[in-house]
Amino acid sequence: MPLYIDQMNREVMIPETPQRIVSLVPSQTELLADLGLGDRVVGITKFCIHPSEWFRSKTRVGGTKQYHYNIIDALQPDLIIGNKEENEQGGIEYLSERYPVWISDINGLGDAVKMIEQIGNITKTADKATSIIASIQKEFQICSRIFQEESVAYFIWNEPMMVVGSSTFIDEMLHHIGIRNCFFLQQRYPVITEQELIEAKPDFIFLSSEPYPFKEKHLAYFKSMLPNAKVMLVDGEYFSWYGSRLANAPAYFLSLFEQLR
């Protein structure tokens, strides 16, 4: 079997052309679909909602943190694809003792492009992967720095209030389109207080659709706290999914720009 190096610098022996793939990450599941691997992906998580027909028909092996090992064993995968941040380390180590497990580590657009290229090589779909990458790179050139350094507080959770800091893929997306992250001096996903939010004085407050499902009812709370800020619900998939959905993210960012003018 060929030897591959994943994005964690782990050596993984993978069959020449894997035929029974389990995906443990929603954005990478969508990528596998766009690579045309419908007949070779046998298991996904309960959060892999795209494509919808896979969500309805594919075997679900649990979530991104907790897995049903008996179901995975029954599927007998010859490749499991996961991610450093989204998957639980102990579970990944357990699975790695039994199956080839390839792990991505995505901190920016370059990492995402490399992941798509490598999965294309592993699954023998390199031509389709190259086409997806070309589309992503073309679209991201169009939307580079479209904002004028306005500031944002990007929320991913409520009670406690949790925002995006630096060293995250979302922060990279904000930077690319020219929005300054109010909390870039803090790492990862800091919990903040109301007073810290008020003192940050963001121009925008983005309430993400995931992982916490912010809804219209939450807008008034933040508007009352910061009446001069523009508060919006945003589609978190376009800010945080690092697979083939990236090709559609710039169009979403441009529509967001128009809404905020």
Side-chain angles (χ1 to χ4, degrees):
M1 291 194 294
L3 175 66
Y4 292 90
I5 307 298
D6 70 10
Q7 290 185 299
M8 295 285 292
N9 290 316
R10 298 163 60 253
E11 295 184 347
V12 187
M13 299 291 293
I14 301 174
E16 184 70 37
T17 305
Q19 297 293 323
R20 300 188 61 76
I21 303 170
V22 169
S23 175
L24 301 178
V25 180
S27 60
Q28 292 175 175
T29 295
E30 184 177 46
L31 169 64
L32 295 174
D34 289 335
L35 290 174
L37 297 170
D39 59 337
R40 291 161 58 188
V41 174
V42 295
I44 62 176
T45 78
K46 62 182 180 182
F47 301 116
C48 295
I49 59 175
H50 301 298
S52 58
E53 57 267 29
W54 282 23
F55 181 69
R56 293 191 300 269
S57 64
K58 295 287 185 184
T59 298
R60 300 183 198 174
V61 300
T64 56
K65 307 294 185 186
Q66 295 181 320
Y67 321 116
H68 299 309
Y69 297 114
N70 60 324
I71 295 177
I72 294 175
D73 289 340
L75 292 174
Q76 285 298 295
D78 54 12
L79 173 61
I80 297 174
I81 298 175
N83 173 263
K84 175 186 175 182
E85 179 173 304
E86 295 195 47
N87 298 135
E88 191 270 328
Q89 182 178 353
I92 291 298
E93 290 174 351
Y94 176 87
L95 291 170
S96 297
E97 294 175 357
R98 292 156 177 78
Y99 308 104
V101 179
W102 190 95
I103 301 294
S104 64
D105 183 14
I106 313 293
N107 296 297
L109 191 59
D111 296 327
V113 166
K114 190 65 176 177
M115 177 271 292
I116 295 169
E117 178 186 24
Q118 291 178 316
I119 288 181
N121 290 335
I122 291 168
T123 59
K124 300 300 184 288
T125 56
D127 288 346
K128 289 184 179 179
T130 298
S131 177
I132 290 170
I133 290 169
S135 178
I136 291 170
Q137 292 174 332
K138 176 184 176 181
E139 294 301 317
F140 268 83
Q141 287 177 353
I142 295 172
C143 78
S144 179
R145 313 299 291 177
I146 55 177
F147 286 87
Q148 303 300 315
E149 287 299 318
E150 293 102 330
S151 61
V152 69
Y154 188 108
F155 279 81
I156 63 165
W157 203 258
N158 194 35
E159 296 180 352
M161 295 195 301
M162 189 178 297
V163 295
V164 165
S166 59
S167 302
T168 61
F169 187 75
I170 296 172
D171 182 67
E172 166 105 352
M173 293 297 98
L174 294 171
H175 177 75
H176 183 88
I177 61 178
I179 300 181
R180 180 173 56 83
N181 183 356
C182 283
F183 296 98
F184 74 96
L185 291 178
Q186 299 188 53
Q187 295 282 310
R188 308 297 290 162
Y189 306 105
V191 172
I192 65 167
T193 64
E194 290 185 359
Q195 188 58 37
E196 285 176 309
L197 178 61
I198 292 170
E199 290 175 357
K201 298 179 181 178
D203 297 307
F204 309 139
I205 295 176
F206 289 172
L207 306 180
S208 181
S209 60
E210 61 171 44
Y212 184 89
F214 283 102
K215 304 294 184 184
E216 290 284 341
K217 65 182 181 181
H218 297 105
L219 295 176
Y221 169 73
F222 288 96
K223 286 179 178 177
S224 66
M225 198 185 316
L226 284 162
N228 293 326
K230 294 181 180 178
V231 185
M232 288 193 65
L233 299 174
V234 298
D235 190 332
E237 292 178 1
Y238 290 112
F239 283 96
S240 63
W241 284 38
Y242 40 77
S244 46
R245 182 158 294 254
L246 281 171
N248 299 319
Y252 177 75
F253 296 151
L254 287 166
S255 71
L256 196 62
F257 174 81
E258 293 299 326
Q259 293 178 62
L260 289 167
R261 294 301 77 165

